[in-house]
Amino acid sequence: MEYRMQQTPPNQDKADHTPDATGRRTFLAKGLLGTLALALGGSAVNLKSLQAAAQSGSLKPAAFSMQGKHPDLVVLSDRPWNVETPPHLLDDRVTPTDRVFIRNNGLPPGKVDAASWTLTIEGESARTKKVFTLAELQSKFKHYTYQLQLECGGNGRAEFSPPGKGNQWGNGAVYCSEWTGVRVKDVLEAAGIKPDAVYVAYYGKDVHLSGDTSKVPISRGVPIKKALEDESLIAWAINGKAIPEMHGYPLRVVFGGWPASASGKWVDRIVVRNKVHDGPKMNKGSYMVPARPIPPGAPAPDDKDMRIIESMPVRSLITYPKTGAIVKGKKTLQVRGHAWAGDLEVKEIHVSTDFGATWQKCELEKPVNRLAWQHWKTQVKFPSTGYFEVWARATDTAGASQPMVVPAWNPGGYLNNACHRIAIQIA
Amino acid sequence: MILAAAAFATRSRGCAKWLLQALLCLLLLSEVSCQGKQEENRQATAQSDPAALADSVEAAALPPPDSDVVDGIHVPTGLIADEGYVLVRNNCISCHSLNLVKNKRATREGWLSTIRWMQQTQGLWDLGENEKPILDYLARNYAPDDMGRRKQLTEVEWYILKE
């Protein structure tokens, strides 16, 4: 903890420092934090904290500040880029692009000429093969703009015990930005869809980590039914601007509410398959959970006994205040955040300040469009001074709620939708 | 420690790595010029400063002399400097960030299954006689902690909320 707070990120221009970060440092300098940390069981700097810092992935590699990202994002890996957003940075109703988490399986394609970029539609279940330039896509088809929530299938993985395989995401591998593009269904219908179509999958121009150009880093997709939904987009813009390199410039697909890995980046080919797609990361347990639950730590079943993750489960975040707030001179607190439920809507959301003994219902807005996350807020009262946690629990329209404990263990560490919580002190 | 690392980089990579040196100098300058208010905190954590260099693939590709080991951590890579870490660095860094190693926790069987998965799908080579020391190292230093069904909230960064 102390390491991250006291470190000046090495490659970060001072102009990038937010007022929040500056305030934090000033506060630190007064030494209050050290006192508090010790009082609450934080350890002084020692081997352990150095190890933790070295292992935390919180350090900013050289190239990171060049990507235009918010400086407080947490780098889990720089090859491939995997970068997480702390929940308090997701407070905006529509996630600003500089706060969108990054999950890459391979390496971005490098220099891209959007003017010569083409998208090919083909596959066993496409009636014809069609090739569109980006300009043709933009001129031939009607444009749509939706706010769509995208969450990594492994968001929350760090809480699984024993650990799940893959990036150890906290809670911040999720966002809801505004996408503009054309409908997948309009483009597929231009090529023609055979009645035996089962799956729609993407191929992109990213490069395999090994540098082997014969290898595809990732090629996933969704069943034809999901692909043909109104909100399924082939997009060229996020929040009204061209998609940044890390997020798929110049063209990608977006399937809100499903594991974000289904929403391929740098897409130059879409295939309409007559079977479940079999590209890399559609097999060997990737984005799959056991079809029948297994005990924690049990060997991973074969793919035939696994199911591919489709709609993501109900979940919510507390985005205000940031965890660790010391509230002075009052015993009330405004809390707010977002909630989402894959293909479904969130019906209600509650918060608890007593570890689930009692729950209080929050104000919840309807989604601005289908598959957008929903905003919630409430005011909580604390019975005394002291240490509290605020837990948030959303319930979807099918009646499923977030568990307070980490749900069914699975080898890939997917689908942890346990309640998000923040630590508060009433001083 | 930053000076030491910069000097080391200069010695070992020569002019060909002037970019890296420039980076290290920038880092040094930014450290020197940051607000005086942070001075005491930084001194308190002086030993952890070098780890700031640890997480780029470029830095991690430097050779690992023992002088770059601080409190058991090999500074340029951030790996625990236990027997076998050079093998881990050399075999893993070719394809991916060492963060993928450092952030992972697994039993020996878990690490082995990850190695097999990389060999089957990601182009990792046969590790040969190095497989055993690599597995020994990983299982010893990056073993899972039992966190139960829900971990306590730790590492909370406390601040005074102003509304």
Side-chain angles (χ1 to χ4, degrees):
Chain A
M1 167 187 84
E2 284 131 42
Y3 179 83
R4 281 188 58 192
M5 297 191 65
Q6 291 162 2
Q7 179 206 7
T8 299
N11 307 299
Q12 186 180 307
D13 191 297
K14 286 208 169 56
D16 286 339
H17 289 177
T18 60
D20 173 59
T22 309
R24 199 173 66 196
R25 290 192 178 90
T26 310
F27 175 53
L28 262 168
K30 288 175 184 164
L32 279 171
L33 178 112
T35 316
L36 272 168
L38 286 172
L40 289 158
S43 57
V45 174
N46 54 21
L47 175 60
K48 264 198 163 171
S49 64
L50 182 58
Q51 283 186 11
Q55 291 160 4
S56 71
S58 61
L59 309 171
K60 309 282 194 269
F64 182 61
S65 58
M66 296 161 61
Q67 302 294 328
K69 284 291 181 179
H70 191 286
D72 290 345
L73 266 51
V74 178
V75 178
L76 301 183
S77 162
D78 64 347
R79 184 186 171 91
W81 285 102
N82 288 296
V83 181
E84 167 162 6
T85 313
H88 70 279
L89 293 182
L90 293 170
D91 195 40
D92 297 83
R93 296 166 75 87
V94 180
T95 310
T97 311
D98 70 336
R99 298 171 182 216
V100 173
F101 81 93
I102 302 171
R103 196 290 183 248
N104 286 344
N105 283 259
L107 308 172
K111 198 166 169 55
V112 162
D113 176 20
S116 61
W117 193 272
T118 58
L119 175 70
T120 301
I121 310 295
E122 58 186 350
E124 308 96 343
S125 296
R127 284 192 193 281
T128 58
K129 176 178 170 176
K130 288 270 186 187
V131 181
F132 301 99
T133 63
L134 194 49
E136 284 170 344
L137 278 179
Q138 290 171 338
S139 63
K140 282 183 194 296
F141 301 99
K142 189 176 173 191
H143 297 191
Y144 294 89
T145 296
Y146 297 105
Q147 291 176 24
L148 300 168
Q149 34 96 3
L150 284 181
E151 182 178 18
C152 177
N155 195 23
R157 179 178 290 133
E159 288 198 295
F160 278 104
S161 184
K165 279 176 72 171
N167 288 290
Q168 297 299 302
W169 299 103
N171 297 297
V174 63
Y175 68 108
C176 183
S177 292
E178 188 178 82
W179 293 97
T180 299
V182 293
R183 284 178 172 160
V184 173
K185 70 173 175 185
D186 290 350
V187 178
L188 294 191
E189 280 165 7
I193 306 166
K194 291 183 187 170
D196 66 350
V198 170
Y199 231 78
V200 173
Y202 66 80
Y203 285 90
K205 281 199 171 169
D206 41 347
V207 180
H208 194 269
L209 279 186
S210 63
D212 181 346
T213 50
S214 70
K215 279 188 151 65
V216 174
I218 183 167
S219 168
R220 304 196 69 245
V222 296
I224 185 78
K225 181 169 181 288
K226 174 73 177 173
L228 299 183
E229 287 180 357
D230 285 352
E231 300 81 9
S232 297
L233 294 181
I234 298 168
W236 55 78
I238 177 172
N239 296 331
K241 292 189 173 157
I243 301 168
E245 178 194 4
M246 279 291 157
H247 299 295
Y249 181 79
L251 199 65
R252 67 176 296 174
V253 288
V254 183
F255 299 107
W258 284 41
S261 57
S263 297
K265 305 194 249 189
W266 312 286
V267 168
D268 66 341
R269 194 154 63 101
I270 291 178
V271 289
V272 187
R273 305 296 311 268
N274 63 3
K275 59 179 185 178
V276 174
H277 184 54
D278 50 3
K281 303 283 174 133
M282 289 295 297
N283 50 27
K284 295 193 170 66
S286 287
Y287 305 100
M288 296 182 189
V289 292
R292 291 163 295 281
I294 61 174
D302 293 338
D303 282 357
K304 66 177 172 49
D305 293 316
M306 304 281 271
R307 70 170 177 86
I308 298 168
I309 299 169
E310 299 194 332
S311 175
M312 292 292 286
V314 61
R315 198 162 188 209
S316 58
L317 278 181
I318 303 167
T319 58
Y320 182 88
K322 180 185 169 189
T323 189
I326 299 166
V327 181
K328 286 191 158 179
K330 58 176 184 173
K331 289 181 183 156
T332 58
L333 182 65
Q334 296 283 344
V335 294
R336 63 172 178 258
H338 316 289
W340 60 96
D343 280 343
L344 302 176
E345 266 184 42
V346 176
K347 184 174 67 180
E348 51 190 31
I349 179 163
H350 294 79
V351 293
S352 177
T353 57
D354 53 17
F355 301 92
T358 60
W359 291 94
Q360 158 184 339
K361 194 170 175 178
C362 308
E363 288 176 48
L364 175 69
E365 296 181 27
K366 294 288 283 181
V368 66
N369 54 251
R370 184 170 172 266
L371 308 182
W373 67 13
Q374 296 165 248
H375 316 297
W376 62 268
K377 64 179 177 183
T378 195
Q379 177 158 297
V380 291
K381 272 189 190 165
F382 298 92
S384 68
T385 57
Y387 174 87
F388 292 91
E389 292 178 14
V390 179
W391 291 53
R393 188 189 68 185
T395 304
D396 69 22
T397 44
S401 293
Q402 294 181 258
M404 291 187 70
V405 296
V406 176
W409 187 89
N410 61 89
Y414 297 113
L415 304 182
N416 173 18
N417 65 335
C419 295
H420 181 222
R421 63 239 158 101
I422 58 171
I424 299 291
Q425 283 198 66
I426 307 299
Chain B
M1 287 323 295
I2 288 167
L3 274 171
F8 164 67
T10 308
R11 271 202 320 275
S12 62
R13 310 296 290 194
C15 298
K17 276 289 178 185
W18 64 271
L19 264 175
L20 177 61
Q21 290 169 36
L23 169 70
L24 290 167
C25 290
L26 273 177
L27 165 59
L28 180 62
L29 284 172
S30 78
E31 288 288 300
V32 168
S33 64
C34 59
Q35 303 93 320
K37 282 175 181 174
Q38 293 176 47
E39 192 54 37
E40 54 184 1
N41 291 302
R42 203 169 52 249
Q43 280 174 2
T45 58
Q47 60 177 328
S48 61
D49 276 344
L53 299 173
D55 274 352
S56 76
V57 169
E58 291 82 359
L62 291 168
D66 289 344
S67 61
D68 279 352
V69 173
V70 178
D71 284 341
I73 300 293
H74 177 243
V75 171
T77 58
L79 287 170
I80 296 171
D82 189 15
E83 188 181 344
Y85 80 95
V86 178
L87 286 176
V88 168
R89 187 206 63 170
N90 292 348
N91 283 280
C92 303
I93 199 69
S94 309
C95 286
H96 61 75
S97 164
L98 289 175
N99 276 355
L100 295 184
V101 177
K102 292 178 280 175
N103 292 337
K104 184 178 166 71
R105 296 289 179 277
T107 60
R108 190 183 176 86
E109 294 71 33
W111 283 109
L112 181 61
S113 103
T114 296
I115 287 171
R116 291 287 176 264
W117 174 80
M118 288 188 288
Q119 287 169 334
Q120 285 162 15
T121 68
Q122 304 297 304
L124 174 62
W125 43 86
D126 181 354
L127 295 171
E129 63 183 17
N130 289 333
E131 184 170 288
K132 184 176 182 298
I134 285 173
L135 272 175
D136 289 345
Y137 170 86
L138 294 170
R140 192 166 56 238
N141 293 292
Y142 298 97
D145 299 321
D146 184 4
M147 297 188 295
R149 276 281 170 194
R150 203 81 211 255
K151 198 181 160 192
Q152 293 285 3
L153 289 179
T154 54
E155 301 181 15
V156 177
E157 298 178 359
W158 293 101
Y159 65 99
I160 292 170
L161 182 67
K162 291 182 179 140
E163 288 190 309

